[in-house]
Amino acid sequence: MHDPRMVREQADALRDGMRRRGKLDALGPLIDRAEALDRDRRTAIQAVEERKAARNAASQQVARLKKAGESADDVVASTRVLGEEIARLEQELGAAQNELDAILLELPNLPLPEVPEGDESHNTVVRSWGEPRAAESVKPHWEVGESLRLIDLAAGAKISGSGFIVYRGMGARLQRALMNFMLDLHTGEHGYDERWVPLFVNRDAMVGTGQLPKFEEDMYALRDDALFAIPTAEVPLTNVMHDELIDGAQLPIALTAWSACFRREAGAAGKDTRGLLRVHQFDKVELVRFTAPEDSAAQLELLTGHAERVLQLLGLPYRVLLLAAGDTGFSSAKTYDLEVFAPGVGKWLEVSSCSNFGEFQARRANIRYRPAKGEKPRFVHTLNGSALAFPRVVAAILEHYQQPDGTVLVPDVLRPLLGTDVLR
RNA sequence: GGACAGGUGGCCGAGUGGUUGAAGGCACCGGUCUCGAAAACCGGCGUACCGGCAACGGUAUCGUGAGUUCGAAUCUCACCCUGUCCGCCA
């Protein structure tokens, strides 16, 4: 969410941000409406508060009169009228305020200046690591995965539906291995504090990180409780600080957690859906950082490096993309995607998305810090990144490390955890 | 799920209808004292919004939301959360 004052003082900056995202046509009218609502709202506030001040004064007069043993009937009668006016004006004010709040929750974050304008065709590769393997004669991961009995797509479809995976044998153990490898790396070498979080969260948490209200149809919701299945551990991990006032000396705060992630992928049917490429439930290790505003730019580079380190240790070739404004997520001000090369499907697969949210989430979730004793609280900046999402990493391993005989070499760092050098 | 007891400022904690934004304490900031520090003493110290160049004024805020009332931290209702006991259960 933006500072509500932006509507009044920097509406053009808002419009420019929407334009750079390619959303001005859709969102420009909302900004116009917000400007009008802000004016209405302030007029109503003044009218209401004027009457409330009068009522408060009258009430005190009643108190004095009664204490003195005199009649207060005249004052009481006149104040009753004020009360009715206040009720009416407050209703008007509430309506304007609610509509304005709803608009503010629907406006995406402003991209940082260095973010390229335009849609995803303007994403830029900022660096790459490793040599992509030639695609010829490498089988796609779903073929190897099935033939080595690592994944069972049919079983997943039978018990839940397409897009739900059953891992079996070493495939199942690989999930545990990835979880331990990534969490140990981030807690042991990168200084993250580990959490184990709820997989279902309330509406407040989902609004806090920006999934709601705009993307409700993408979320799984429970029928009988006001809870949503998390699409990423970003939600619980960021919201552990919801409504907190952090001592500035504690920043930056770095948290990590494994979680299952649930995505309805409504409207994505048929697009990259084979095998492990796009599924409704998957596992992921997430990194979240809370920082002072002046540090967030550097912290994004640091966090992205932590995610890259996972791929480097796994020996998987990847590239880093700076997303263009139009491809940058709703809450994010700047995002790097990490894409790993999967020679079997011949594609770069997104395995991580590392973002700086500025104060956008902190404002929604009310996460503040006190820079120093005696100073006023400010909103923190939040950042997060996957490090990493499992299914596409598995896909890349099954393809990149595939041998001519159909077996798959295990990356060195996973061998102790899997208890084998080769998947056969 | 049931029965009780609670949710007050950064923290602890008083306060059951009328100058209560809210006693007191801790923490914090400034000062006196001191060579310096501690202690002691004096003073200050929430947040948000509206108006104002500012000084400042106003409004709101005692879990959340409704309600009663001229007036609510205080009364009523609903909901959320916490604690204790009981029940159930992996």
Side-chain angles (χ1 to χ4, degrees):
Chain A
M1 191 167 75
H2 299 103
D3 185 339
R5 273 173 300 204
M6 279 201 81
V7 169
R8 181 152 78 246
E9 295 164 9
Q10 297 177 66
D12 287 339
L14 279 178
R15 288 193 184 85
D16 191 55
M18 300 309 120
R19 183 189 59 74
R20 293 175 61 216
R21 282 179 176 269
K23 296 272 174 58
L24 186 57
D25 288 348
L27 299 177
L30 281 186
I31 297 174
D32 299 342
R33 179 69 182 146
E35 287 186 292
L37 287 167
D38 181 59
R39 283 191 295 272
D40 293 350
R41 183 186 71 98
R42 281 183 294 149
T43 306
I45 285 173
Q46 287 175 45
V48 168
E49 293 192 348
E50 196 177 292
R51 284 163 181 76
K52 282 187 175 176
R55 183 180 65 183
N56 287 345
S59 290
Q60 293 189 3
Q61 200 185 340
V62 171
R64 275 193 301 273
L65 288 171
K66 290 203 168 175
K67 193 172 283 181
E70 298 173 32
S71 166
D73 292 352
D74 293 349
V75 185
V76 167
S78 68
T79 313
R80 186 173 285 130
V81 180
L82 271 180
E84 287 160 8
E85 279 183 43
I86 289 168
R88 180 177 54 78
L89 287 164
E90 276 194 323
Q91 198 152 10
E92 288 174 25
L93 174 59
Q97 186 69 57
N98 287 342
E99 191 183 346
L100 180 58
D101 289 345
I103 290 174
L104 286 170
L105 286 173
E106 296 275 331
L107 294 176
N109 203 351
L110 301 179
L112 290 173
E114 67 269 28
V115 172
E117 194 175 313
D119 64 15
E120 61 189 61
S121 66
H122 294 87
N123 293 349
T124 56
V125 177
V126 294
R127 62 181 164 273
S128 19
W129 185 93
E131 277 301 311
R133 178 177 170 180
E136 58 214 54
S137 78
V138 179
K139 288 188 283 187
H141 63 274
W142 53 85
E143 287 183 22
V144 200
E146 296 268 8
S147 67
L148 294 180
R149 298 168 198 261
L150 303 173
I151 59 180
D152 188 342
L153 298 175
K158 180 170 63 184
I159 56 180
S160 300
S162 76
F164 290 92
I165 310 297
V166 170
Y167 293 98
R168 56 193 296 195
M170 290 306 282
R173 185 160 171 178
L174 181 55
Q175 306 300 307
R176 286 192 284 131
L178 288 170
M179 179 166 82
N180 281 327
F181 161 59
M182 293 181 196
L183 286 172
D184 288 347
L185 175 68
H186 298 312
T187 57
E189 294 184 26
H190 297 154
Y192 288 79
D193 193 4
E194 189 171 347
R195 294 285 187 278
W196 194 276
V197 295
L199 303 180
F200 299 95
V201 298
N202 59 32
R203 178 172 290 273
D204 222 29
M206 292 289 265
V207 170
T209 32
Q211 282 73 24
L212 295 183
K214 203 170 169 60
F215 305 105
E216 186 148 1
E217 70 281 3
D218 296 327
M219 307 300 153
Y220 287 104
L222 297 193
R223 194 193 60 194
D224 292 330
D225 296 279
L227 293 173
F228 298 85
I230 59 170
T232 159
E234 162 194 350
V235 180
L237 215 44
T238 304
N239 279 289
V240 292
M241 291 297 175
H242 204 295
D243 285 327
E244 294 291 321
L245 180 52
I246 302 164
D247 175 6
Q250 289 180 12
L251 297 177
I253 292 172
L255 304 180
T256 186
W258 160 88
S259 87
C261 303
F262 304 91
R263 302 190 180 180
R264 291 188 66 220
E265 300 290 355
K271 195 178 166 192
D272 285 340
T273 50
R274 291 212 63 179
L276 302 177
L277 295 184
R278 185 176 294 276
V279 293
H280 290 304
Q281 178 188 327
F282 62 94
D283 299 88
K284 177 162 66 61
V285 167
E286 183 76 1
L287 307 176
V288 167
R289 301 183 76 85
F290 303 86
T291 80
E294 59 272 20
D295 296 334
S296 68
Q299 292 276 314
L300 176 61
E301 303 304 320
L302 184 70
L303 179 145
T304 305
H306 293 154
E308 287 180 61
R309 184 79 184 127
V310 179
L311 288 170
Q312 291 167 9
L313 288 169
L314 288 171
L316 295 171
Y318 68 91
R319 62 184 189 184
V320 181
L321 260 54
L322 171 59
L323 297 189
D327 202 24
T328 298
F330 177 82
S331 298
S332 175
K334 179 180 180 179
T335 297
Y336 292 118
D337 271 7
L338 268 49
E339 295 187 336
V340 65
F341 190 71
V345 295
K347 283 181 179 164
W348 293 94
L349 306 179
E350 178 191 333
V351 290
S352 174
S353 203
C354 300
S355 300
N356 181 358
F357 300 90
E359 63 175 38
F360 191 85
Q361 291 182 327
R363 197 174 270 287
R364 287 174 162 243
N366 189 32
I367 306 171
R368 298 173 301 160
Y369 76 108
R370 199 183 293 283
K373 302 282 186 196
E375 288 189 37
K376 290 224 169 211
R378 301 177 62 190
F379 289 111
V380 299
H381 280 197
T382 60
L383 303 96
N384 71 53
S386 356
L388 304 161
F390 293 10
R392 293 174 189 166
V393 168
V394 171
I397 289 173
L398 294 183
E399 298 182 9
H400 182 77
Y401 286 109
Q402 201 178 112
Q403 304 190 95
D405 63 358
T407 62
V408 174
L409 287 174
V410 175
D412 288 345
V413 290
L414 297 180
R415 289 179 183 184
L417 293 158
L418 273 180
T420 182
D421 297 354
V422 186
L423 299 172
R424 62 178 87 239

